[in-house]
Amino acid sequence: KIGTILGADATITSPTDAAAGLNANPTVSGLQFALLAAILIAGLLCAAAIAMALALATPARERTFAILRAFGLSRGDARALVGWEIGPVAAVAILIGVLLGISLPLVVLAGVDLRTFTGGMAQPGMTLDPWLLALVIGGFLLVLGVATTITLATARRVSSAGAVRSSEEG
């Protein structure tokens, strides 16, 4: 019906056609791949930073747990102590990450013309996807939980006498 109103020589492009045209552009697909790779690498670096931070504190934690186990420290109490060790850092990391994640697109949109990638006449606006944000925070907390579980598992295997002896020697 629109074709009869506009005439036979009119070109009608649907949003699906426009999206297909953009996805066929090698620049757009390359940028999407690069951004996904950067997100994956950033996630792996976050996991490595958590693992390294927990690993660096392992000798002191083992000595402390060995002494506290001699006084009756339970597994739940050990988890709580590791939570108090990691919790504030994780909370600050989540807060700063969310703030940077919200502000960085605003900076990019202000300084880079993205109309080439969107094919639109106007610069695209920023959208905040709460489900994606929750997924990223949940992934971070999952990595943190796995690293904490591994830390607690290795701390349980340490002999109390050996940990205390090494702290007296060193």
Side-chain angles (χ1 to χ4, degrees):
K1 187 171 181 171
I2 293 176
T4 58
I5 295 172
L6 296 176
D9 59 343
T11 303
I12 300 171
T13 305
S14 70
T16 306
D17 295 336
L22 282 175
N23 288 335
N25 185 347
T27 304
V28 173
S29 61
L31 181 63
Q32 287 175 342
F33 177 77
L35 289 174
L36 286 174
I39 290 170
L40 180 64
I41 290 170
L44 291 173
L45 287 174
C46 286
I50 291 169
M52 287 173 38
L54 289 171
L56 286 173
T58 297
R61 188 181 310 108
E62 287 173 352
R63 286 189 299 273
T64 303
F65 280 179
I67 293 169
L68 292 175
R69 273 195 309 267
F71 289 119
L73 180 74
S74 69
R75 287 184 179 182
D77 293 338
R79 277 192 293 272
L81 284 175
V82 173
W84 274 106
E85 177 184 347
I86 297 170
V89 175
V92 169
I94 289 171
L95 178 68
I96 298 298
V98 167
L99 291 176
L100 282 174
I102 290 172
S103 62
L104 187 61
L106 296 173
V107 171
V108 169
L109 286 173
V112 178
D113 184 15
L114 296 176
R115 291 180 295 177
T116 305
F117 298 107
T118 62
M121 298 299 279
Q123 180 81 334
M126 185 186 93
T127 58
L128 183 63
D129 186 358
W131 293 108
L132 184 58
L133 181 63
L135 180 69
V136 170
I137 291 172
F140 174 75
L141 292 174
L142 178 69
V143 168
L144 189 64
V146 168
T148 303
T149 302
I150 292 170
T151 298
L152 286 170
T154 57
R156 274 188 223 120
R157 294 186 315 184
V158 174
S159 114
S160 297
V164 172
R165 189 177 316 117
S166 69
S167 68
E168 291 173 358
E169 294 170 357

